[in-house]
Amino acid sequence: MRQTTWTAENVETLKALWEQGVSHGQIAHRLGYSRSAVIGKVHRLDLPLRSTTSRHKAGRPRKRPSQVRKSGPVLCRPPAIPSFPLPSERPRPGAPDPLMLGVLDLTASSCRYPIGDPRHADFGFCGHERIAGLPYCDHHVRVCFPSVESRAALRRAA
C-alpha cells in the first residue's frame, strides 16, 4: 500500500538518499511512495539538481535532433497483398440484367452492387430488390459472399 502523507522521518530519509544519488524510482520503492510523489517532494523541497544522471555520461554530449545526420528517403516495398481471383463480371445463367441505376436513383430496397468503373459514364448499380439486412440482391450476395466450399476451392486454385 502506498503512503499518502510525508512524515518528518521519511523527508529526512528522502534527503539522505537524494544526496547519495539514489534514483527517484529507488527512493519511491524504499519509502513506499509513488515515483511521482518522490519527484514532487524533491521539487517542493527545492533539493539541488544533480549534475549528471546515470543515463548520460559526463564528457559525452548527446546529439540534438538538429545535429543528427538525416539520410535520404527510406524506400521500402509495400507489404505483399494476397491476390484472389475476382468474381466474374459475366452474369451467371438465369441472373437478371442489372438496371444500372445512378446513386440518386437508388431506393432503400435497391441492390447497391457497383458495376463498372466509377470514373466512366457507363457506371451504375444493380438496382434489383435487395435481401433484407444485406446491401445486395440474391445474385450479388452469392457473388460477394461465396459458400465455404467455393472459398476453399478458390484457395486451392491460388
Coordinates of all heavy atoms in Angstrom, one line a residue, residues 57-156:
K57 N 26.4 10.1 -19.7 CA 27.8 10.1 -19.1 C 28.4 11.5 -19.3 O 28.3 12.1 -20.4 CB 28.6 9.0 -19.6 CG 28.0 7.7 -19.3 CD 28.9 6.6 -19.7 CE 28.2 5.3 -19.2 NZ 28.6 4.1 -19.9
A58 N 29.1 12.0 -18.3 CA 29.8 13.3 -18.4 C 30.9 13.1 -19.5 O 31.5 12.1 -19.6 CB 30.4 13.7 -17.1
G59 N 31.1 14.2 -20.2 CA 32.1 14.3 -21.3 C 31.7 13.7 -22.6 O 32.4 13.6 -23.5
R60 N 30.5 13.2 -22.6 CA 29.9 12.6 -23.9 C 28.6 13.3 -24.2 O 27.6 12.8 -23.8 CB 29.7 11.1 -23.7 CG 29.7 10.3 -25.0 CD 29.6 8.9 -24.7 NE 28.4 8.4 -25.2 CZ 27.7 7.3 -24.8 NH1 28.2 6.6 -23.8 NH2 26.6 6.9 -25.4
P61 N 28.7 14.4 -24.9 CA 27.5 15.2 -25.1 C 26.5 14.4 -26.0 O 26.9 13.7 -26.9 CB 28.0 16.4 -25.8 CG 29.3 16.1 -26.4 CD 29.8 15.0 -25.5
R62 N 25.2 14.6 -25.7 CA 24.2 14.0 -26.5 C 24.0 14.8 -27.8 O 24.2 16.0 -27.9 CB 22.8 14.1 -25.8 CG 22.7 13.1 -24.7 CD 21.3 13.0 -24.2 NE 20.4 14.0 -24.7 CZ 19.2 14.3 -24.2 NH1 18.9 13.7 -23.0 NH2 18.4 15.2 -24.7
K63 N 23.7 14.1 -28.9 CA 23.4 14.8 -30.1 C 21.9 15.3 -30.1 O 21.0 14.5 -29.7 CB 23.6 13.8 -31.3 CG 25.0 13.5 -31.6 CD 25.1 12.7 -32.9 CE 26.5 12.4 -33.2 NZ 26.7 11.7 -34.4
R64 N 21.8 16.5 -30.5 CA 20.4 17.0 -30.5 C 19.8 16.6 -31.9 O 20.6 16.4 -32.8 CB 20.5 18.5 -30.4 CG 21.1 19.0 -29.1 CD 20.7 20.4 -28.8 NE 21.3 20.8 -27.5 CZ 20.6 20.8 -26.4 NH1 19.4 20.4 -26.3 NH2 21.2 21.2 -25.3
P65 N 18.5 16.6 -32.0 CA 17.9 16.2 -33.2 C 18.4 17.0 -34.4 O 18.5 16.5 -35.5 CB 16.4 16.4 -33.0 CG 16.3 16.3 -31.5 CD 17.5 16.8 -30.9
S66 N 18.7 18.3 -34.2 CA 19.2 19.1 -35.4 C 20.6 18.7 -35.8 O 21.1 19.0 -36.9 CB 19.2 20.6 -35.0 OG 20.1 20.8 -33.9
Q67 N 21.4 18.0 -34.9 CA 22.7 17.6 -35.2 C 22.8 16.2 -35.8 O 23.8 15.8 -36.3 CB 23.6 17.6 -33.9 CG 23.8 19.0 -33.3 CD 24.5 18.9 -32.0 OE1 24.4 17.8 -31.3 NE2 25.1 19.9 -31.6
V68 N 21.7 15.5 -35.8 CA 21.7 14.1 -36.3 C 21.6 14.2 -37.8 O 20.8 15.0 -38.4 CB 20.4 13.4 -35.8 CG1 20.3 12.0 -36.4 CG2 20.5 13.2 -34.3
R69 N 22.5 13.5 -38.4 CA 22.6 13.5 -39.9 C 21.3 12.8 -40.4 O 21.1 11.7 -40.0 CB 23.8 12.8 -40.4 CG 23.9 12.8 -41.9 CD 25.1 12.0 -42.3 NE 26.2 12.8 -42.3 CZ 27.4 12.4 -42.7 NH1 27.6 11.1 -42.9 NH2 28.5 13.2 -42.7
K70 N 20.7 13.4 -41.3 CA 19.5 12.8 -41.9 C 19.9 12.2 -43.3 O 20.5 12.8 -44.1 CB 18.4 13.9 -42.2 CG 17.9 14.4 -40.8 CD 16.7 15.4 -41.1 CE 16.3 15.9 -39.7 NZ 15.2 16.9 -39.8
S71 N 19.4 11.0 -43.4 CA 19.7 10.3 -44.7 C 18.6 10.6 -45.7 O 17.6 11.2 -45.3 CB 19.8 8.8 -44.4 OG 18.6 8.3 -43.9
G72 N 18.7 10.1 -46.9 CA 17.7 10.3 -47.9 C 16.5 9.5 -47.6 O 16.3 8.9 -46.5
P73 N 15.5 9.6 -48.4 CA 14.2 8.9 -48.2 C 14.4 7.4 -48.1 O 15.2 6.8 -48.8 CB 13.4 9.3 -49.4 CG 14.3 9.6 -50.4 CD 15.5 10.2 -49.8
V74 N 13.7 6.8 -47.2 CA 13.7 5.4 -46.9 C 12.7 4.8 -47.9 O 11.5 5.1 -47.9 CB 13.4 5.0 -45.5 CG1 13.3 3.5 -45.3 CG2 14.3 5.7 -44.5
L75 N 13.3 4.0 -48.8 CA 12.4 3.3 -49.8 C 12.1 1.9 -49.3 O 13.0 1.1 -48.9 CB 13.1 3.3 -51.1 CG 13.5 4.6 -51.7 CD1 14.2 4.4 -53.0 CD2 12.2 5.4 -51.9
C76 N 10.9 1.5 -49.3 CA 10.6 0.2 -48.8 C 9.4 -0.3 -49.8 O 8.7 0.5 -50.4 CB 10.1 0.1 -47.4 SG 8.7 1.1 -47.0
R77 N 9.3 -1.6 -49.8 CA 8.3 -2.2 -50.6 C 7.0 -2.3 -49.8 O 7.0 -2.6 -48.6 CB 8.7 -3.6 -51.1 CG 9.9 -3.5 -52.0 CD 10.2 -4.9 -52.5 NE 11.4 -4.8 -53.4 CZ 12.0 -5.9 -53.9 NH1 11.5 -7.1 -53.7 NH2 13.0 -5.7 -54.7
P78 N 5.9 -2.1 -50.5 CA 4.6 -2.3 -49.8 C 4.5 -3.7 -49.4 O 5.0 -4.6 -50.1 CB 3.6 -1.8 -50.8 CG 4.2 -1.9 -52.1 CD 5.7 -1.7 -51.9
P79 N 3.7 -4.0 -48.4 CA 3.5 -5.4 -48.0 C 2.8 -6.2 -49.1 O 2.0 -5.6 -49.8 CB 2.7 -5.3 -46.7 CG 2.0 -4.0 -46.8 CD 3.0 -3.1 -47.5
A80 N 3.2 -7.4 -49.2 CA 2.5 -8.3 -50.2 C 1.1 -8.5 -49.9 O 0.7 -8.9 -48.8 CB 3.3 -9.6 -50.3
I81 N 0.2 -8.3 -50.8 CA -1.2 -8.5 -50.6 C -1.6 -9.7 -51.4 O -1.3 -9.8 -52.6 CB -2.0 -7.3 -51.2 CG1 -1.6 -6.0 -50.4 CG2 -3.5 -7.5 -51.1 CD1 -2.2 -4.7 -50.9
P82 N -2.2 -10.7 -50.7 CA -2.5 -11.9 -51.4 C -3.6 -11.6 -52.5 O -4.5 -10.8 -52.3 CB -3.1 -12.8 -50.3 CG -3.5 -11.9 -49.3 CD -2.6 -10.7 -49.3
S83 N -3.4 -12.2 -53.7 CA -4.3 -12.0 -54.7 C -5.3 -13.1 -54.8 O -4.9 -14.3 -54.8 CB -3.6 -11.8 -56.1 OG -2.9 -13.0 -56.4
F84 N -6.5 -12.8 -54.9 CA -7.6 -13.8 -55.1 C -8.3 -13.5 -56.4 O -8.4 -12.3 -56.8 CB -8.6 -13.7 -53.9 CG -8.0 -14.1 -52.6 CD1 -7.7 -13.1 -51.7 CD2 -7.8 -15.4 -52.3 CE1 -7.1 -13.5 -50.5 CE2 -7.3 -15.8 -51.1 CZ -6.9 -14.9 -50.2
P85 N -8.7 -14.5 -57.1 CA -9.4 -14.2 -58.3 C -10.7 -13.4 -58.1 O -11.5 -13.7 -57.1 CB -9.7 -15.6 -58.9 CG -9.5 -16.5 -57.8 CD -8.6 -15.9 -56.8
L86 N -10.9 -12.4 -58.9 CA -12.1 -11.6 -58.7 C -13.3 -12.3 -59.3 O -13.2 -13.1 -60.3 CB -12.0 -10.2 -59.4 CG -10.9 -9.3 -58.8 CD1 -10.8 -8.1 -59.7 CD2 -11.3 -8.9 -57.4
P87 N -14.5 -12.1 -58.8 CA -15.6 -12.8 -59.3 C -15.9 -12.3 -60.8 O -15.6 -11.2 -61.1 CB -16.8 -12.4 -58.4 CG -16.3 -11.3 -57.6 CD -14.9 -11.3 -57.6
S88 N -16.3 -13.2 -61.6 CA -16.6 -12.9 -63.0 C -17.7 -11.8 -63.1 O -18.7 -11.9 -62.4 CB -16.9 -14.1 -63.8 OG -17.3 -13.8 -65.1
E89 N -17.5 -10.8 -64.0 CA -18.5 -9.8 -64.2 C -19.6 -10.4 -65.2 O -20.6 -9.8 -65.3 CB -17.8 -8.6 -64.9 CG -17.1 -7.7 -63.9 CD -18.0 -7.1 -62.8 OE1 -19.1 -6.7 -63.1 OE2 -17.5 -6.9 -61.7
R90 N -19.3 -11.5 -65.8 CA -20.3 -12.1 -66.7 C -21.4 -12.6 -65.8 O -21.2 -13.3 -64.8 CB -19.7 -13.3 -67.5 CG -18.8 -12.8 -68.6 CD -18.2 -13.9 -69.3 NE -17.0 -14.4 -68.5 CZ -16.8 -15.7 -68.3 NH1 -17.5 -16.6 -68.9 NH2 -15.7 -16.1 -67.6
P91 N -22.7 -12.3 -66.2 CA -23.8 -12.8 -65.4 C -23.9 -14.3 -65.4 O -23.6 -14.9 -66.4 CB -25.0 -12.1 -66.0 CG -24.6 -11.6 -67.3 CD -23.1 -11.5 -67.3
R92 N -24.3 -14.9 -64.3 CA -24.5 -16.3 -64.3 C -25.8 -16.7 -65.0 O -26.6 -15.8 -65.2 CB -24.6 -16.8 -62.8 CG -23.3 -16.6 -62.1 CD -23.3 -16.6 -60.6 NE -24.1 -17.8 -60.0 CZ -24.2 -18.0 -58.7 NH1 -23.6 -17.1 -57.9 NH2 -24.8 -19.0 -58.3
P93 N -25.9 -17.9 -65.5 CA -27.1 -18.3 -66.2 C -28.3 -18.0 -65.3 O -28.4 -18.4 -64.1 CB -26.9 -19.7 -66.4 CG -25.5 -20.0 -66.3 CD -24.9 -19.0 -65.4
G94 N -29.3 -17.3 -65.8 CA -30.5 -17.0 -65.1 C -30.5 -15.8 -64.2 O -31.4 -15.4 -63.6
A95 N -29.3 -15.1 -64.2 CA -29.1 -13.9 -63.4 C -29.8 -12.8 -64.1 O -29.7 -12.6 -65.3 CB -27.7 -13.6 -63.1
P96 N -30.5 -11.9 -63.4 CA -31.2 -10.8 -64.1 C -30.1 -9.7 -64.6 O -29.1 -9.6 -64.0 CB -32.1 -10.2 -63.0 CG -31.4 -10.6 -61.7 CD -30.7 -11.9 -62.0
D97 N -30.5 -9.1 -65.7 CA -29.6 -8.0 -66.2 C -29.7 -6.8 -65.2 O -30.7 -6.5 -64.7 CB -30.1 -7.5 -67.5 CG -29.8 -8.5 -68.6 OD1 -28.8 -9.3 -68.4 OD2 -30.5 -8.6 -69.6
P98 N -28.5 -6.2 -64.9 CA -28.6 -5.1 -63.9 C -29.3 -3.9 -64.5 O -29.4 -3.7 -65.7 CB -27.1 -4.7 -63.8 CG -26.4 -5.3 -64.9 CD -27.2 -6.5 -65.4
L99 N -30.0 -3.1 -63.6 CA -30.8 -2.0 -64.0 C -29.9 -0.8 -64.3 O -30.3 0.2 -64.9 CB -31.8 -1.7 -63.0 CG -32.8 -2.8 -62.7 CD1 -33.8 -2.4 -61.6 CD2 -33.6 -3.2 -63.9
M100 N -28.6 -0.8 -63.8 CA -27.7 0.3 -64.0 C -28.2 1.6 -63.5 O -28.3 2.6 -64.2 CB -27.2 0.4 -65.4 CG -26.6 -0.8 -66.0 SD -25.1 -1.3 -65.1 CE -23.9 -0.1 -65.6
L101 N -28.6 1.6 -62.2 CA -29.2 2.9 -61.6 C -28.0 3.8 -61.1 O -27.0 3.3 -60.7 CB -30.0 2.5 -60.4 CG -31.3 1.7 -60.6 CD1 -32.0 1.4 -59.3 CD2 -32.2 2.4 -61.6
G102 N -28.3 5.1 -61.2 CA -27.3 6.0 -60.6 C -27.5 6.1 -59.1 O -28.5 5.7 -58.5
V103 N -26.6 6.8 -58.5 CA -26.6 7.0 -57.0 C -27.9 7.6 -56.6 O -28.6 7.2 -55.6 CB -25.4 7.8 -56.5 CG1 -25.6 8.1 -55.0 CG2 -24.1 7.1 -56.8
L104 N -28.4 8.6 -57.3 CA -29.6 9.3 -56.9 C -30.8 8.5 -57.2 O -31.9 8.9 -56.7 CB -29.6 10.7 -57.6 CG -28.5 11.6 -57.2 CD1 -28.6 12.9 -58.0 CD2 -28.4 11.9 -55.8
D105 N -30.7 7.5 -58.0 CA -31.9 6.7 -58.4 C -32.1 5.5 -57.4 O -33.1 4.9 -57.5 CB -31.7 6.1 -59.8 CG -31.6 7.2 -60.8 OD1 -32.2 8.3 -60.7 OD2 -30.8 7.1 -61.8
L106 N -31.1 5.2 -56.5 CA -31.3 4.1 -55.6 C -32.3 4.4 -54.6 O -32.5 5.5 -54.1 CB -29.9 3.9 -54.9 CG -28.8 3.3 -55.8 CD1 -27.5 3.3 -54.9 CD2 -29.1 2.0 -56.3
T107 N -33.1 3.3 -54.2 CA -34.1 3.4 -53.2 C -33.6 2.6 -52.0 O -32.5 1.9 -52.1 CB -35.4 2.9 -53.6 OG1 -35.3 1.5 -53.9 CG2 -35.9 3.6 -54.9
A108 N -34.3 2.5 -50.9 CA -33.9 1.8 -49.7 C -33.9 0.3 -50.0 O -33.2 -0.4 -49.4 CB -34.9 2.1 -48.6
S109 N -34.6 -0.2 -51.0 CA -34.7 -1.6 -51.3 C -33.8 -2.0 -52.6 O -33.9 -3.1 -53.0 CB -36.1 -2.1 -51.5 OG -36.7 -1.4 -52.6
S110 N -33.0 -1.1 -53.1 CA -32.2 -1.3 -54.3 C -30.9 -2.0 -53.9 O -30.3 -1.7 -52.9 CB -31.9 0.0 -55.0 OG -33.0 0.6 -55.4
C111 N -30.5 -3.0 -54.8 CA -29.2 -3.6 -54.7 C -28.1 -2.6 -55.0 O -28.2 -1.9 -56.0 CB -29.1 -4.8 -55.7 SG -27.5 -5.6 -55.7
R112 N -27.1 -2.5 -54.1 CA -26.1 -1.5 -54.3 C -24.8 -2.1 -54.9 O -23.7 -1.5 -54.6 CB -25.8 -0.8 -53.0 CG -27.0 0.1 -52.6 CD -27.0 0.5 -51.1 NE -27.8 1.6 -50.8 CZ -29.1 1.7 -50.9 NH1 -29.8 0.7 -51.4 NH2 -29.8 2.7 -50.6
Y113 N -24.9 -3.2 -55.6 CA -23.7 -3.8 -56.2 C -23.2 -2.9 -57.3 O -23.9 -2.6 -58.3 CB -24.0 -5.2 -56.7 CG -22.7 -5.9 -57.2 CD1 -21.9 -6.6 -56.3 CD2 -22.4 -5.9 -58.5 CE1 -20.8 -7.3 -56.7 CE2 -21.3 -6.6 -58.9 CZ -20.5 -7.3 -58.0 OH -19.3 -7.9 -58.4
P114 N -21.9 -2.4 -57.2 CA -21.4 -1.5 -58.2 C -21.0 -2.2 -59.5 O -20.4 -3.3 -59.4 CB -20.2 -0.8 -57.6 CG -19.8 -1.8 -56.6 CD -21.0 -2.5 -56.1
I115 N -21.3 -1.7 -60.6 CA -21.0 -2.3 -61.9 C -20.2 -1.3 -62.8 O -20.7 -0.3 -63.1 CB -22.2 -2.9 -62.6 CG1 -22.9 -3.9 -61.7 CG2 -21.9 -3.4 -64.0 CD1 -24.3 -4.3 -62.2
G116 N -19.0 -1.7 -63.1 CA -18.2 -0.8 -64.0 C -17.2 0.0 -63.2 O -17.1 -0.2 -62.0
D117 N -16.6 0.9 -63.9 CA -15.6 1.8 -63.3 C -16.3 3.2 -62.9 O -16.9 3.8 -63.8 CB -14.5 2.1 -64.2 CG -13.3 2.8 -63.6 OD1 -13.5 3.5 -62.6 OD2 -12.2 2.8 -64.2
P118 N -16.2 3.6 -61.7 CA -16.9 4.9 -61.3 C -16.4 6.1 -62.1 O -17.1 7.1 -62.1 CB -16.6 5.0 -59.8 CG -16.0 3.8 -59.3 CD -15.6 3.0 -60.5
R119 N -15.3 6.0 -62.7 CA -14.8 7.1 -63.5 C -15.4 7.2 -64.9 O -15.1 8.2 -65.6 CB -13.2 7.0 -63.5 CG -12.6 7.2 -62.2 CD -11.1 7.0 -62.3 NE -10.9 5.5 -62.5 CZ -9.7 4.9 -62.5 NH1 -8.7 5.6 -62.3 NH2 -9.6 3.6 -62.7
H120 N -16.1 6.2 -65.3 CA -16.7 6.2 -66.6 C -18.2 6.4 -66.6 O -18.9 6.2 -65.6 CB -16.4 4.8 -67.3 CG -14.9 4.6 -67.5 ND1 -14.3 3.6 -67.0 CD2 -14.0 5.3 -68.2 CE1 -13.0 3.6 -67.3 NE2 -12.8 4.7 -68.1
A121 N -18.7 6.9 -67.7 CA -20.1 7.3 -67.8 C -21.1 6.1 -67.7 O -22.2 6.2 -67.3 CB -20.4 8.0 -69.1
D122 N -20.6 4.9 -68.0 CA -21.5 3.7 -68.0 C -21.5 3.0 -66.6 O -22.1 1.9 -66.5 CB -21.1 2.7 -69.1 CG -19.6 2.2 -68.9 OD1 -18.9 2.8 -68.0 OD2 -19.3 1.2 -69.5
F123 N -21.0 3.7 -65.6 CA -21.0 3.1 -64.2 C -22.5 3.2 -63.7 O -23.2 4.1 -63.9 CB -20.1 3.9 -63.3 CG -20.2 3.5 -61.9 CD1 -19.6 2.3 -61.5 CD2 -20.8 4.2 -61.0 CE1 -19.6 1.9 -60.2 CE2 -20.9 3.8 -59.6 CZ -20.3 2.7 -59.2
G124 N -22.8 2.1 -62.9 CA -24.1 2.1 -62.3 C -24.2 1.1 -61.2 O -23.2 0.3 -60.9
F125 N -25.4 0.9 -60.6 CA -25.6 -0.1 -59.6 C -26.7 -1.0 -60.1 O -27.5 -0.7 -60.9 CB -26.1 0.6 -58.3 CG -25.0 1.5 -57.7 CD1 -25.0 2.8 -58.0 CD2 -24.1 1.0 -56.8 CE1 -24.0 3.6 -57.4 CE2 -23.1 1.7 -56.2 CZ -23.1 3.1 -56.5
C126 N -26.6 -2.3 -59.6 CA -27.5 -3.3 -60.0 C -29.0 -2.9 -59.9 O -29.7 -2.9 -60.9 CB -27.3 -4.6 -59.2 SG -28.5 -5.8 -59.4
G127 N -29.5 -2.4 -58.8 CA -30.8 -1.9 -58.6 C -31.9 -2.9 -58.4 O -33.0 -2.4 -58.1
H128 N -31.7 -4.2 -58.5 CA -32.8 -5.1 -58.2 C -33.1 -5.2 -56.7 O -32.4 -4.6 -55.9 CB -32.3 -6.5 -58.7 CG -32.4 -6.6 -60.2 ND1 -33.5 -6.7 -60.9 CD2 -31.4 -6.6 -61.1 CE1 -33.3 -6.8 -62.2 NE2 -32.0 -6.7 -62.4
E129 N -34.2 -5.8 -56.4 CA -34.6 -5.9 -55.0 C -33.6 -6.6 -54.1 O -33.1 -7.7 -54.4 CB -35.9 -6.7 -54.9 CG -36.6 -6.7 -53.6 CD -37.3 -5.4 -53.3 OE1 -37.6 -4.6 -54.3 OE2 -37.5 -5.1 -52.1
R130 N -33.1 -5.9 -53.1 CA -32.1 -6.5 -52.2 C -32.7 -7.4 -51.2 O -33.9 -7.3 -50.9 CB -31.3 -5.4 -51.6 CG -32.0 -4.6 -50.5 CD -31.1 -3.5 -50.0 NE -31.7 -2.7 -49.0 CZ -31.7 -3.0 -47.7 NH1 -30.9 -4.0 -47.2 NH2 -32.3 -2.2 -46.8
I131 N -31.8 -8.2 -50.6 CA -32.2 -9.1 -49.5 C -32.3 -8.3 -48.2 O -31.3 -7.5 -47.9 CB -31.2 -10.3 -49.3 CG1 -31.3 -11.1 -50.6 CG2 -31.5 -11.1 -48.1 CD1 -30.3 -12.2 -50.6
A132 N -33.3 -8.5 -47.4 CA -33.4 -7.7 -46.1 C -32.2 -7.9 -45.2 O -31.7 -9.0 -45.0 CB -34.7 -8.1 -45.4
G133 N -31.6 -6.8 -44.8 CA -30.4 -6.9 -43.9 C -29.1 -6.9 -44.7 O -28.0 -6.9 -44.0
L134 N -29.1 -7.0 -46.0 CA -27.9 -7.0 -46.8 C -28.0 -6.0 -47.9 O -29.1 -5.6 -48.3 CB -27.7 -8.4 -47.4 CG -27.5 -9.6 -46.5 CD1 -27.4 -10.9 -47.3 CD2 -26.1 -9.4 -45.8
P135 N -26.9 -5.5 -48.4 CA -26.9 -4.4 -49.4 C -27.2 -4.9 -50.8 O -27.3 -4.1 -51.7 CB -25.6 -3.7 -49.2 CG -24.7 -4.8 -48.7 CD -25.5 -5.7 -47.9
Y136 N -27.2 -6.2 -51.0 CA -27.2 -6.8 -52.4 C -28.4 -7.7 -52.6 O -29.0 -8.2 -51.7 CB -25.9 -7.6 -52.7 CG -24.6 -6.8 -52.5 CD1 -23.6 -7.3 -51.7 CD2 -24.5 -5.5 -53.0 CE1 -22.4 -6.6 -51.5 CE2 -23.3 -4.8 -52.8 CZ -22.3 -5.3 -52.1 OH -21.2 -4.6 -51.9
C137 N -28.7 -7.9 -53.9 CA -29.7 -8.8 -54.3 C -29.2 -10.3 -54.2 O -28.0 -10.5 -53.8 CB -30.2 -8.6 -55.8 SG -28.8 -8.8 -57.0
D138 N -30.1 -11.2 -54.4 CA -29.7 -12.6 -54.2 C -28.5 -13.0 -55.1 O -27.6 -13.7 -54.6 CB -30.9 -13.5 -54.6 CG -30.6 -15.0 -54.4 OD1 -30.2 -15.4 -53.2 OD2 -30.8 -15.7 -55.3
H139 N -28.5 -12.6 -56.3 CA -27.4 -12.9 -57.2 C -26.1 -12.4 -56.7 O -25.1 -13.1 -56.6 CB -27.7 -12.4 -58.6 CG -26.5 -12.4 -59.5 ND1 -26.0 -13.6 -60.0 CD2 -25.7 -11.4 -60.0 CE1 -24.9 -13.3 -60.8 NE2 -24.8 -12.0 -60.8
H140 N -26.0 -11.1 -56.3 CA -24.8 -10.5 -55.9 C -24.4 -10.9 -54.5 O -23.2 -10.8 -54.2 CB -24.9 -8.9 -56.0 CG -24.9 -8.5 -57.5 ND1 -25.9 -7.9 -58.1 CD2 -23.9 -8.7 -58.4 CE1 -25.6 -7.6 -59.3 NE2 -24.4 -8.1 -59.6
V141 N -25.3 -11.3 -53.7 CA -24.9 -11.9 -52.4 C -24.1 -13.2 -52.7 O -23.0 -13.4 -52.0 CB -26.1 -12.3 -51.5 CG1 -25.8 -13.2 -50.4 CG2 -26.7 -11.0 -51.0
R142 N -24.5 -14.0 -53.6 CA -23.7 -15.2 -54.0 C -22.4 -14.9 -54.6 O -21.4 -15.6 -54.4 CB -24.5 -16.1 -54.9 CG -25.7 -16.7 -54.3 CD -26.4 -17.6 -55.2 NE -27.7 -17.9 -54.7 CZ -28.8 -18.1 -55.4 NH1 -28.7 -18.1 -56.8 NH2 -30.0 -18.4 -54.9
V143 N -22.3 -13.8 -55.3 CA -21.0 -13.4 -55.9 C -20.1 -12.9 -54.8 O -18.9 -13.2 -54.8 CB -21.2 -12.3 -57.0 CG1 -19.9 -11.7 -57.4 CG2 -22.0 -12.8 -58.1
C144 N -20.6 -12.0 -53.9 CA -19.7 -11.4 -52.9 C -19.5 -12.3 -51.7 O -18.4 -12.1 -51.0 CB -20.4 -10.1 -52.4 SG -20.5 -8.9 -53.6
F145 N -20.4 -13.1 -51.3 CA -20.2 -14.0 -50.2 C -20.3 -15.4 -50.6 O -21.4 -16.1 -50.3 CB -21.3 -13.6 -49.1 CG -21.3 -12.2 -48.7 CD1 -22.4 -11.4 -49.1 CD2 -20.3 -11.6 -48.0 CE1 -22.4 -10.1 -48.8 CE2 -20.3 -10.3 -47.7 CZ -21.4 -9.5 -48.1
P146 N -19.3 -16.0 -51.2 CA -19.4 -17.3 -51.7 C -19.5 -18.3 -50.5 O -19.1 -18.0 -49.4 CB -18.1 -17.6 -52.5 CG -17.2 -16.5 -52.0 CD -18.0 -15.4 -51.6
S147 N -20.0 -19.5 -50.8 CA -20.1 -20.5 -49.8 C -18.7 -20.9 -49.3 O -17.7 -20.7 -49.9 CB -20.9 -21.7 -50.3 OG -20.1 -22.3 -51.3
V148 N -18.7 -21.6 -48.2 CA -17.4 -22.1 -47.6 C -16.7 -23.0 -48.6 O -15.5 -23.0 -48.7 CB -17.7 -22.8 -46.2 CG1 -16.4 -23.5 -45.7 CG2 -18.3 -21.9 -45.2
E149 N -17.5 -23.9 -49.3 CA -16.9 -24.8 -50.2 C -16.2 -24.1 -51.4 O -15.1 -24.4 -51.8 CB -17.9 -25.8 -50.8 CG -18.5 -26.7 -49.7 CD -19.7 -26.1 -48.9 OE1 -20.2 -25.1 -49.4 OE2 -19.9 -26.6 -47.8
S150 N -16.9 -23.1 -51.9 CA -16.3 -22.4 -53.0 C -15.1 -21.5 -52.6 O -14.1 -21.4 -53.4 CB -17.3 -21.5 -53.7 OG -17.8 -20.5 -52.9
R151 N -15.1 -21.0 -51.4 CA -13.9 -20.3 -50.9 C -12.7 -21.2 -50.7 O -11.6 -20.9 -51.1 CB -14.2 -19.6 -49.5 CG -15.0 -18.3 -49.7 CD -15.0 -17.6 -48.4 NE -15.4 -18.3 -47.2 CZ -16.6 -18.2 -46.6 NH1 -17.4 -17.2 -46.9 NH2 -16.9 -18.9 -45.6
A152 N -13.0 -22.4 -50.3 CA -11.9 -23.4 -50.2 C -11.3 -23.8 -51.5 O -10.1 -23.9 -51.7 CB -12.4 -24.7 -49.5
A153 N -12.2 -23.9 -52.5 CA -11.8 -24.2 -53.9 C -10.9 -23.1 -54.5 O -9.9 -23.3 -55.1 CB -13.0 -24.4 -54.8
L154 N -11.3 -21.8 -54.2 CA -10.5 -20.7 -54.6 C -9.1 -20.7 -54.0 O -8.1 -20.4 -54.6 CB -11.2 -19.3 -54.3 CG -12.4 -19.0 -55.1 CD1 -13.1 -17.7 -54.5 CD2 -12.0 -18.7 -56.5
R155 N -9.0 -21.0 -52.7 CA -7.7 -21.1 -52.0 C -6.9 -22.2 -52.6 O -5.7 -22.0 -52.8 CB -7.9 -21.3 -50.5 CG -8.2 -20.0 -49.8 CD -8.1 -20.2 -48.3 NE -9.2 -19.5 -47.7 CZ -10.2 -20.0 -47.1 NH1 -10.4 -21.3 -47.0 NH2 -11.2 -19.3 -46.6
R156 N -7.5 -23.3 -52.9 CA -6.7 -24.4 -53.5 C -6.2 -24.1 -54.9 O -5.1 -24.4 -55.3 CB -7.6 -25.7 -53.6 CG -7.7 -26.4 -52.3 CD -8.3 -27.8 -52.5 NE -9.7 -27.7 -53.1 CZ -10.8 -27.7 -52.4 NH1 -10.8 -27.7 -51.1 NH2 -12.0 -27.6 -53.0

